[in-house]
Amino acid sequence: MFENIIFETDGPIARLTFNRPDKMNAVNNATVDELDQALEMVEKNQELRVLIITGAGKAFVAGADIGELDKRDTVQGRLDTKRRQAVYTRIEQLEIPSIAAINGFALGTGLEIALACTFRIASAKAKVGQPEVKLGIIPGAGGTQRLPRVVGMSRAMEMILTGDIFKADQALAMGLVIRVAEPDDLMQEVEKLAKTIILRPKLAIQYAKEAILKFSEGSLEDGLSRESYLHALSCGTEDKKEGVKSFLEKRDPVFKGR
Ligand code: COA
C-alpha cells in the first residue's frame, strides 16, 4: 500500500522502514504523507507497544530529497517545514515509545526523524549530521529545537553550524544515541530494548513518557505537579496492583495493560 516506506506489525512491535535505497531514503513529500498514514495506523492499533523506525540499504535517511529542495521557495519552505514538524511531532507524541535503529546515514531530516523518536541506537557504521548549512539553509523539521534538548546547546551549535558528519562513537559520547551495536547486531540490540519495554506495564510506560516529554522542559514546580497527577493515575491501574502483589508474592508479574 506504500511506495516509499514499508510498514509491518508483528504482535506488539510495529516496524517502519524508509524504502528508497537508491536515493539513500531521502524523504520527499510523498514519503511524509505515507509516514503520516502509517502513524495513524500505529495510533489506532491498541495491541502495539513499540515502534521501530529504520532505513533500507546503506542509509537510515540521508536528508530531505534534494531534487524537491531545489524547487523549494519561501512559500514552499514554510509549508514543507510545518508539515514535517507536525508529522515528526506525531512520532514523538505517540503513546508508545519509538526506537530509531540508525543503520547508516542519518542526515538532515533523517536525524530530525531520529530525534523525534524516544530512543536512538546506532550501527557502528552509522553517520549522523545536520548538513543543511552547506546547502545554504538551516534545519526546518525540528533540528534546531530537538538537537540542543538532546545533546546540549554546545554540541548542537557545533553540529548545525559546521554541518559536519559525525561517527557513531561520537554520537554515543554526546548522548545522541544510547548504544552503538556492530552492524549485524543492530536489530537484535533494538529488539532487546523493545522486548524490555513490552514486559513493562503499558500505562506506566505511557505516563512516564508523557511526564518526561511534556513536562521536564518547563518549570520544576509545574513539572512536579504534573508528575504527581500522572503518578496518581498509575496508582489506579490494575497493573499497579499486580506489580506490587507479584513483588510481595516473589513471582513474575502478569500485566494486562489496564
Ligand atoms: N536527496 C536526493 N537524493 C539523494 C540524497 C538526498 N538527500 N542523498 C543521496 N541521494 C542520492 C544521490 O543523488 C545518488 O543518486 P544517483 O545514484 O541517482 O546519483 C544516490 O542517492 C546515492 O548517493 P551517493 O551520493 O552516490 O552515495 P555516497 O555513498 O557517495 O554518499 C551521502 C552518501 C549520504 C554522503 C551523500 O549522498 C550525501 O551527501 N547526500 C546528501 C546529504 C544531505 O545534504 N542531506 C541534507 C539535505 S537537507
Side-chain angles (χ1 to χ4, degrees):
M1 94 180 255
F2 295 121
E3 278 178 25
N4 302 295
I5 63 171
I6 300 167
F7 179 73
E8 54 205 354
T9 59
D10 175 10
I13 299 181
R15 285 188 192 79
L16 192 155
T17 307
F18 290 100
N19 191 32
R20 295 175 79 208
D22 53 329
K23 292 286 169 202
M24 296 273 168
N25 303 324
V27 165
N28 55 14
N29 288 335
T31 308
V32 176
D33 289 342
E34 292 185 9
L35 175 59
D36 199 25
Q37 287 166 39
L39 291 171
E40 188 165 347
M41 291 158 78
V42 172
E43 285 168 358
K44 284 183 175 159
N45 185 341
Q46 287 301 307
E47 299 301 309
L48 294 176
R49 299 289 316 279
V50 181
L51 168 65
I52 296 171
I53 300 185
T54 194
K58 262 172 73 177
F60 177 77
V61 166
D65 189 306
I66 297 180
E68 278 189 358
L69 205 56
D70 189 33
K71 298 179 204 108
R72 197 187 271 180
D73 59 10
T74 309
V75 172
Q76 198 60 40
R78 177 83 172 142
L79 289 172
D80 287 354
T81 52
K82 293 277 279 180
R83 170 86 176 128
R84 282 165 201 230
Q85 286 178 359
V87 175
Y88 302 173
T89 297
R90 196 168 186 177
I91 300 174
E92 184 175 62
Q93 296 195 349
L94 287 171
E95 286 180 349
I96 60 171
S98 49
I99 308 170
I102 306 179
N103 53 306
F105 292 105
L107 305 177
T109 217
L111 186 56
E112 291 175 318
I113 291 167
L115 284 164
C117 292
T118 320
F119 305 102
R120 286 156 293 284
I121 297 182
S123 146
K125 277 193 185 157
K127 297 213 168 78
V128 300
Q130 296 281 174
E132 286 88 344
V133 291
K134 293 198 214 159
L135 300 171
I137 56 174
I138 74 163
T144 68
Q145 301 306 304
R146 290 198 177 96
L147 188 60
R149 283 171 165 82
V150 172
V151 302
M153 172 90 76
S154 176
R155 288 293 186 194
M157 285 288 188
E158 182 189 20
M159 287 185 78
I160 293 175
L161 271 54
T162 64
D164 281 346
I165 307 295
F166 293 76
K167 292 182 180 157
D169 57 346
Q170 293 173 293
L172 181 65
M174 65 175 100
L176 180 49
V177 302
I178 59 165
R179 275 190 263 302
V180 174
E182 285 309 312
D184 288 346
D185 300 337
L186 175 65
M187 289 322 284
Q188 204 183 320
E189 199 60 48
V190 167
E191 304 234 341
K192 203 166 118 193
L193 174 60
K195 283 178 183 151
T196 301
I197 289 164
I198 291 164
L199 279 179
R200 307 288 179 248
K202 183 179 178 182
L203 292 172
I205 294 289
Q206 181 186 323
Y207 300 154
K209 178 173 176 252
E210 187 176 343
I212 296 168
L213 188 66
K214 291 203 179 150
F215 308 120
S216 66
E217 303 280 344
S219 83
L220 182 61
E221 196 183 351
D222 279 353
L224 289 172
S225 168
R226 305 284 191 160
E227 179 189 75
S228 170
Y229 281 119
L230 284 163
H231 173 90
L233 263 187
S234 68
C235 286
T237 62
E238 282 181 34
D239 284 347
K240 179 262 178 184
K241 286 193 195 95
E242 169 64 7
V244 174
K245 194 160 176 262
S246 66
F247 178 83
L248 295 173
E249 292 172 358
K250 300 188 190 302
R251 59 171 175 82
D252 288 336
V254 182
F255 293 124
K256 294 187 177 144
R258 291 196 291 267

